[in-house]
């Protein structure tokens, strides 16, 4: 088709669509534009520097992103054009953008193409890109394997080095398996540049494919005879890796290879050789190699006597000859100390090591002090005495400004605490607790508690320390420290008055620290009478009235700072004071107010306490009496271990919530006790349920018949099958039961015998505390009518402590058909004669009977 | 072993990053920011070794640039501290009085130097002339 214009259409426009016919005039003019636009469409990509300069001019993140996106688009189109000349430049730019955090995955294939090219610059950038952009999760990397293989056999050593470097950096296990042979070959060449790289590549291969370790073993034989330090260094790394990975290799190297003498020789050369300008760093020749060798020696010498002996001399030499004025020398000394500590060195060497660490501690440089504290922490277990010598320096480090040093010093101080230095150390540690950061306070507080528990010189000191911790770091202590503390306080009987006084004073000051408030309110509840009567011996007694105490406790209830748990403690404390104080009305009022509280826990307690005032007033004193001494609940008996602090008391009182579980299990305890001193002695809550017992009673009747003090007619078989394991029944039927009880050594006795009601006591010593006598009462009824609502109560003189467990039932069947048993535990720390006053209430033939009696005829063995 | 090496300036911009243990790309930025924040907030008289998560950081400040090396627990921190200084001395020798701009504009060269010194998380070579030998060869090839 001819064009209408007279212009000669040049052949290159034939491909233009015919629709352009009308635009003929412009064609000639357009031609030059068209050529130009062809050129413009493909400008040379900018150099990396230009890109960086452009990016630096960006003011905001959005601008920078825009620039980078534009450049990325340009790079992408350039890649599409398959241009060889500029590919290298584009990939370099891509790497820069990748470093800034932008996605660069479209450059991965380009890297591969660069690697395949022949130019060294291309290869360099290609391998760099491969190392940065690729890893074994992309499938593309497998394509590299062939390239690397070719390059490993290249004529130029630098190319070979590149390939080794890349393989060592990101080779996957398949690649490693394929190319391990090549690497091994290169490990044996004489070219030191390649040898060192091949050694580290071998390390990577071993990490990826551990089975190939044996393949490299022959090549390692003469690695250490090289002079080149680079090769030495990397071969030591290779040997270290092999020894760490496989104990067989380790044994092999220790025995066959004479590795240790070789290493010792190299190290000696390094130290003695004098000045060598190549490897010198601040006057010490090649410290990096020295450190590496020392580390390998450590691995070789660990728990191996021969190797350790061989290296003793050289270690001593390094330790004494190295200059300590510069950081370099200290680095070597640090490694030496670590090595000495780990191998089986002789004691002189160990002392030398600890002295070096002591010198480090006095150094001004904080890095070195940190390093010293870390290593001392590792050695304090084994060389305790040596570390003790530096105790004062360590304690000074507590005041350092640096967080890491403070933490290390704190841990080390706790490790160094012992019976001799506890007072001084605790002073320092408490001072530290005052001034340290919150992140330390929890750890420090628990550490103080542990140390105080182990080494407290006196109870008063112990309580003082704990109080100090609570007042300074009260909100950071762990949750279980409150019950621990309460248990501690109850155990130190003579300190009660002093404790409660101090806690009261602390409460007056500050009620924001919850653990302190909880402990204080518990104590005031327990020992409020001591507080009011002003009986304290240790300190000046303060004059406190009952109203003031109640004010404080009520203040706790109302305050916003108190958590619900604290409020619970406070309410229970107020309740307990109702038996110890005389102003009961005020307490009744408080309790009834909280009966309508929104908090369910508080409401329940208040309602229960109210019920206690109204319906069960006769039981109130018994319920709210002093807590017995709690044993540390180390053993877990068949019953549940009830947490013995004030809160759980009321829950058993509530008639609507009978604890049926405790019933049979308590009986199981009784049974176990009777069966002769089991080692399982659980601590059981004092409960006085008034509901009739169910299962298990009949079982005990059987036992009651078999007991010595009983002697009633054989009981009928239990009508209600119990959940007790049958082995108990087996035990019951055998004769040796009598012998067991008799063998306990304390004869049973009859405590009360009146109106047909007979009560017998059988004794036992409780484990683990021999001061506790366990008395089981058996109540039997010889009249014709049964006795219902049977309640047994006992009281002992002030020097004893009594714990009454729940009875088996409160119906004593008539005509000696069965007995009711109950376990009493009496603590008799002063070994005085046991006396007891008992009170019995029951309903017999429709009328209530109440009786008081005194039991004085306890056998001497029961309280001696 | 060395887990990573970073060069970050006081504004928090990464000038060099090299990972010897693979970290996902998405997490790298967060990790770098966190590490840098940790080091930038420390005062002059504080220790140069920081415990961070389950490994240690050794950092050193040169003018406005922080060099941070993440190492495993078993590594000798003082030795790595020296290594950082050695690296800077090598850069100084190559670029003759190196500055942050030199590192920025010649990132590929710096990577090459780093590869000669540290491979696979372990030290390969610490001798300055030997490290710079391939690079001088490369430069000669590029010019000629």
């Amino acid at each position: 088709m001819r064009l209408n214009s007279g212009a000669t259409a040049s052949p290159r426009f034939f491909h233009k669509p015919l629709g352009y016919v009308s635009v003929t005039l412009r064609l000639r003019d357009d031609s030059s534009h068209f050529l130009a636009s062809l050129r413009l469409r493909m400008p040379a990509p900018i150099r990396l520097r230009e890109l960086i300069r452009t990016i630096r001019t960006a003011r905001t993140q959005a601008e920078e992103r825009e620039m980078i996106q534009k450049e990325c688009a340009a790079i992408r189109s350039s890649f599409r054009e398959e241009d060889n000349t500029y590919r290298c430049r584009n990939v370099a730019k891509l790497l820069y953008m990748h470093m800034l955090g932008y996605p660069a995955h479209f450059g991965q294939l380009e890297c591969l193409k660069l690697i395949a090219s022949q130019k060294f610059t291309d290869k360099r950038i290609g391998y760099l890109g491969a190392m940065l952009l690729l890893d074994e999760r992309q499938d593309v990397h497998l394509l590299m394997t062939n390239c690397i293989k070719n390059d490993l056999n290249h004529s130029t050593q630098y190319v070979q080095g590149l390939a080794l470097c890349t393989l060592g950096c990101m080779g996957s296990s398949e690649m490693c398996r394929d190319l391990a042979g090549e690497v091994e070959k290169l490990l044996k060449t004489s070219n030191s540049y390649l040898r060192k790289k091949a050694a580290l590549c071998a390390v990577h291969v071993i990490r990826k494919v551990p089975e190939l370790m044996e393949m490299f073993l022959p090549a390692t034989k003469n690695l250490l005879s090289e002079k080149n330090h680079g090769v030495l260094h990397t071969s030591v790394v290779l040997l270290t890796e092999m020894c760490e990975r496989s104990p067989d290799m380790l044994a092999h190297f220790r025995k066959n290879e004479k590795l240790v003498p070789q290493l010792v020789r190299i190290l000696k050369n390094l130290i003695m050789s004098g000045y060598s300008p190549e490897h010198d760093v601040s006057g010490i020749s090649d410290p990096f190699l020295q450190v590496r060798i020392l580390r390998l020696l450590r691995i070789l010498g660990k728990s191996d006597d021969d190797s350790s002996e061989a290296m003793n001399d050289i270690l001593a030499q390094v330790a004494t000859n190295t200059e300590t004025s510069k950081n370099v020398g200290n680095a070597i000394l640090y490694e030496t100390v670590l090595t000495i500590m780990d191998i089986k060195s002789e004691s002189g060497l160990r002392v030398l090591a600890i002295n070096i660490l002591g010198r480090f501690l006095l150094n001004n440089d904080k890095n070195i002090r940190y390093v010293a504290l870390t290593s001392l922490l590792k050695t304090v277990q084994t060389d305790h005495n040596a570390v003790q010598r530096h105790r004062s320096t360590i304690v000074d480090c507590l005041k350092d400004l640096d967080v890491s040093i403070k933490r290390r010093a704190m841990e080390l101080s706790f490790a160094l605490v012992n019976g001799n230095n506890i007072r001084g150390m605790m002073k320092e540690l408490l001072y530290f607790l005052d001034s340290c950061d919150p992140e330390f306070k929890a750890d420090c507080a628990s550490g103080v508690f542990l140390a105080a528990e182990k080494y407290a010189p006196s109870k008063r000191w112990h309580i003082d320390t704990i109080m100090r911790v609570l007042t300074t770091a009260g909100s950071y202590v762990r949750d279980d420290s409150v019950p621990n503390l309460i248990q501690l306080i109850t155990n130190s009987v003579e300190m009660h008055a002093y404790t409660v006084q101090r806690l009261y004073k602390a409460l007056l000051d500050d009620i924001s620290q919850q653990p302190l408030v909880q402990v204080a309110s518990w104590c005031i509840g327990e020992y409020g009478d001591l507080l009011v009567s002003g009986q304290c011996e240790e300190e000046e007694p303060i004059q406190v009235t009952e109203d003031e105490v109640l004010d404080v406790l009520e203040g706790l209830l109302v305050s916003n700072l108190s958590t619900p748990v604290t409020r619970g403690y406070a309410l229970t404390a107020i309740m307990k004071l109702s038996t110890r104080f005389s102003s009961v009305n005020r307490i009744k009022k408080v309790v009834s107010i909280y009966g309508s509280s929104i908090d369910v826990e508080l409401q329940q307690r208040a309602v229960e306490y109210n019920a206690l005032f109204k319906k069960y007033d006769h039981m109130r004193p018994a319920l709210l009496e002093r807590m017995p001494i709690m044993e540390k609940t180390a053993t877990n008996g068949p019953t549940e271990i009830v947490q013995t602090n004030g809160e759980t008391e009321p829950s058993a009182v509530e008639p609507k919530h009978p604890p049926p579980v405790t019933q049979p299990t308590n009986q199981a305890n009784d049974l176990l006790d009777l069966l002769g001193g089991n080692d399982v002695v659980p601590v059981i809550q004092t409960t006085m349920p008034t509901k009739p017992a169910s299962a298990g009673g009949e079982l005990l009747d059987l036992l009651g018949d078999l007991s010595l003090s009983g002697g009633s007619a054989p009981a009928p078989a239990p009508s209600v099958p119990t959940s007790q394991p049958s082995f108990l029944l087996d035990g019951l039927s055998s004769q040796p039961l009598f012998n067991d009880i008799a063998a306990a050594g304390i004869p049973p006795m009859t405590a009360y015998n009146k109106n047909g009601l007979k009560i017998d006591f059988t004794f036992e010593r409780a484990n683990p505390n021999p001061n506790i006598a366990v008395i089981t009462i058996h109540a039997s009824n010889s009249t014709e009518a049964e006795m219902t609502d049977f309640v047994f109560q006992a009281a002992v003189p002030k020097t004893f402590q009594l714990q009454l467990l729940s009875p088996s039932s409160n119906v004593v069947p008539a005509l000696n058909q069965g007995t009711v048993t109950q376990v009493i535990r009496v603590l008799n720390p002063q070994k005085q004669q046991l006396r007891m006053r008992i009170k019995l209430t029951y309903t017999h033939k429709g009328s209530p009977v109440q009786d008081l009696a005194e039991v004085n005829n306890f056998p001497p063995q029961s309280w001696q | 072993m060395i887990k990573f090496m970073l060069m970050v300036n006081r504004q928090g911009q990464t000038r060099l990053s090299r990972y010897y243990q693979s970290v996902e790309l998405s997490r790298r930025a967060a990790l770098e920011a966190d590490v840098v924040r940790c080091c930038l907030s420390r005062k002059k008289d504080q220790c140069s070794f920081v415990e961070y998560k389950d490994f240690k950081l050794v950092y050193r400040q040169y003018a406005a640039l922080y060099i941070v090396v993440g190492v495993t627990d078993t590594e000798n921190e003082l030795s790595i501290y020296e290594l950082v200084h050695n690296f800077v001395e090598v850069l100084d020798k190559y670029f003759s009085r190196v500055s942050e701009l030199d590192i920025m504009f010649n990132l590929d060269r710096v990577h090459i130097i780093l590869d000669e010194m540290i491979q696979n998380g372990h030290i390969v070579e610490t001798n300055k002339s030997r490290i710079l030998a391939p690079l001088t060869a490369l430069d000669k090839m590029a010019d000629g």
Side-chain angles (χ1 to χ4, degrees), chain A residues 207 335 367 370 402 408, chain B residues 47-48 51 76 122 125 138:
Chain A
R207 275 201 203 132
E335 196 71 32
N367 292 336
Y370 171 84
D402 184 282
R408 288 272 176 278
Chain B
C47 187
S48 302
E51 268 155 46
N76 184 337
H122 296 279
E125 182 67 66
L138 185 66

Side-chain angles (χ1 to χ4, degrees), chain A residues 327-346:
Chain A
N327 183 44
V328 196
N330 286 326
I332 298 179
L333 281 178
Y334 176 43
E335 196 71 32
T336 318
V337 164
L338 287 177
T339 306
I340 293 178
M341 287 299 148
D342 266 353
I343 65 174
K344 293 195 171 210
S345 51
E346 52 186 23

